[in-house]
Amino acid sequence: YATMLTLLLAAGIVAGLHMPFFVGAAIAALLLAHQVRAVNFDDPADCLHHFRANRRLGIVVTAALLAGHLPL
């Protein structure tokens, strides 16, 4: 997850995205941190639940990318 977040932030910087992108990236980082702490790797149903929760992560990252293009 750290590599994904690092590359996401680097892409935002290179693309010249505005502050809302970085706020969204921080929210995405919090979602990932929660997922790492909460998942029980010994429970397949719990793993599936957290895997499906990545849909929310995708929505947050997409919203951050779109919001980063808004003029301040």
Side-chain angles (χ1 to χ4, degrees), residues 13 16 42 45 48:
I13 291 169
D42 295 324
L48 180 60

Side-chain angles (χ1 to χ4, degrees), residues 11-67:
I13 291 169
V14 170
L17 297 181
H18 300 287
M19 187 56 66
F21 166 77
F22 297 100
V23 172
I27 293 169
L30 290 173
L31 285 172
L32 288 171
H34 169 72
Q35 184 176 17
V36 167
R37 280 180 282 158
V39 68
N40 178 3
F41 290 107
D42 295 324
D43 181 3
D46 191 49
C47 290
L48 180 60
H49 168 75
H50 287 284
F51 176 77
R52 288 182 175 162
N54 283 328
R55 177 179 33 157
R56 281 181 262 154
L57 176 68
I59 292 168
V60 168
V61 170
T62 301
L65 288 166
L66 293 173

